């Protein structure tokens, strides 16, 4: 039986889901702060992990596969302790639907003027002038168009928006126009909403900065669900204050939890949520990696390892 070590702050739930998904594996789990059983780890060939504790990989001489417990692998791809030949796989299948709901919920809250309706209700005021905004034909710009971005794009299209995807390498697509990420600035002026859901790489770190945001306008809403490090926070605040950005809905931050003294908390045009747009549920995530669990149990190479040079 091949061994899969689970090192995760919620290891009992993951161990149970992984054992159920692939009974041919021997699965054991530890909290990242707990000392694992070194003798058992010596023979383990697989590792299921979120934040990699320092020194762990060195205790696993037979390690042949790392499965990330989420979509973003930015914390793993450049990790100096992981030898180059070890395949790293990610799991993003469950997040698209959650994140699509998140993006649509925040956009609809604005368009339907729900906060103003609630305020009017509290004053027992019949606010007949609170006309909802028509989103039909308005432009949604989705930066990052893998499985997650596409699902967000589909949901926005169902709401009536015209969706454009922005990707590292522009390509033809049967469903949506896809542009190079470098063209995003030229599109910002037309955008009603800009969704950030690309992986964090050297190319996306800090790319939402003053020079991009100067192309925006005061009715543009930015929704960030990928990685906080893609947004330069002082530049974002300056854009909101200057009116080249209308509102920012932020689920991810350069440092998490967001520090109490951050100006983002109190800014009237910022919505802060606690990195909850794509919750990981063991059952759904394990379904997404079922085939690789099967292959690993049978000693076959896993499918779709991330490209560590590209960073995703
Ligand atoms: C992920 C996350 O990358 O939860 O999966 O942020």
């Amino acid at each position: 039986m091949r061994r899969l070590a689970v090192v995760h702050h919620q290891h009992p739930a993951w161990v149970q889901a992984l054992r159920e998904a692939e009974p041919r594996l021997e699965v054991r789990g530890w909290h990242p702060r707990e000392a694992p059983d070194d003798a058992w780890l010596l023979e383990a060939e697989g590792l299921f992990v979120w934040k990699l504790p320092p020194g762990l990989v060195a205790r696993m001489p037979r390690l042949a596969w790392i499965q990330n417990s989420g979509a973003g692998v930015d914390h793993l791809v450049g990790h100096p302790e992981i030898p180059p030949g070890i395949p790293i796989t990610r799991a993003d299948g469950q997040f698209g639907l959650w994140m699509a709901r998140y993006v649509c919920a925040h956009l609809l809250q604005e368009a339907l003027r729900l906060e103003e309706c609630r305020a009017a209700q509290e004053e027992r005021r019949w606010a007949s002038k609170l006309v909802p905004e028509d989103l039909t034909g308005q432009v949604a710009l989705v930066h990052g168009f893998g499985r997650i971005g596409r699902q967000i794009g589909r949901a926005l299209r169902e709401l009536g928006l015209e969706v454009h995807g922005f990707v590292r390498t522009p390509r033809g697509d049967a469903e949506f126009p896809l542009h190079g990420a470098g063209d995003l600035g030229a599109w910002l002026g037309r955008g009603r909403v800009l969704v950030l859901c690309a992986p964090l790489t050297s190319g996306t770190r800090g790319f939402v900065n003053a020079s991009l945001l100067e192309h925006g306008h005061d009715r543009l809403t930015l929704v960030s669900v990928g990685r906080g490090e893609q947004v330069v926070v002082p530049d974002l605040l300056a854009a909101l204050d200057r009116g080249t950005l209308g509102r920012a809905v932020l689920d991810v931050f350069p440092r998490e939890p967001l520090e109490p003294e951050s100006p983002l908390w109190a800014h009237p045009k910022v919505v802060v949520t606690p990195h909850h747009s794509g919750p990981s549920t063991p059952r759904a995530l394990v379904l997404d990696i079922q085939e690789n669990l099967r292959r690993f149990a049978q000693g076959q190479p896993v499918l779709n390892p991330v490209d560590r040079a590209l960073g995703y």
Side-chain angles (χ1 to χ4, degrees), residues 261-281:
E261 57 281 9
S262 168
L264 292 170
W265 288 109
H267 198 289
K269 296 180 182 170
V270 174
V271 175
V272 170
T273 60
H275 198 145
H276 75 174
S277 62
S280 267
T281 59

Side-chain angles (χ1 to χ4, degrees), residues 15-224:
V15 168
Q16 188 187 338
L18 289 160
R19 280 187 185 144
E20 278 168 19
E22 185 43 90
R24 288 171 296 181
L25 291 177
E26 192 184 337
V27 188
R28 285 183 62 182
W30 290 272
H31 191 283
R33 281 198 301 271
E34 226 180 312
D37 175 343
D38 276 334
W40 192 88
L41 278 188
L42 275 180
E43 301 299 321
E45 289 146 310
L47 175 63
F48 181 95
V49 73
W50 179 232
K51 296 272 173 316
L52 187 66
L56 181 69
V57 168
R59 292 150 115 158
M60 302 182 70
R62 300 190 55 188
L63 184 62
W65 175 40
I66 299 180
Q67 171 65 50
N68 181 44
S69 77
V73 284
D74 43 283
H75 52 296
L76 293 176
V77 283
H79 201 294
E81 292 179 20
I82 305 178
I86 296 184
I88 300 173
T89 49
R90 51 196 287 279
D92 65 4
Q94 59 172 342
F95 295 124
L97 184 58
W98 283 104
M99 290 181 169
R101 291 178 186 138
Y102 178 96
V103 172
C104 292
H106 286 277
L107 183 62
L108 287 174
Q109 189 211 24
E110 278 177 20
L112 302 181
R113 308 180 68 176
L114 298 183
E115 279 184 11
E116 290 156 277
C117 287
R118 183 72 218 175
Q121 182 182 343
E122 274 161 22
E123 293 165 12
R124 296 176 177 259
R125 180 163 49 86
W126 183 255
S128 53
K129 298 229 161 49
L130 280 181
V131 179
E133 172 190 357
D134 185 2
L135 291 173
T136 307
Q138 298 219 46
V139 172
L141 312 170
V142 181
H143 180 262
F145 221 75
R147 284 211 285 183
I148 293 174
R150 185 173 295 275
Q151 199 144 0
I152 293 171
R154 286 179 180 153
L156 289 168
R157 188 178 58 190
E158 285 300 310
L159 296 184
L161 287 100
E162 176 188 318
V163 176
H164 294 258
F166 291 81
V167 292
R168 193 178 54 89
T169 317
R171 52 184 183 267
D173 187 86
E175 230 187 327
F176 293 99
L178 296 188
H179 313 268
D183 293 338
L184 189 53
W187 277 87
L188 273 196
R190 290 187 52 194
R192 171 64 181 83
V193 59
L194 167 62
V195 182
L196 306 179
C197 55
L200 179 65
T201 64
S202 54
T204 63
R205 186 179 292 275
F207 89 102
V208 179
N209 53 24
S211 61
L212 178 77
L213 290 170
E214 74 182 8
H215 301 286
H217 57 87
D218 64 357
R219 290 193 49 256
L220 175 67
T221 295
L222 175 129
V223 184
S224 175

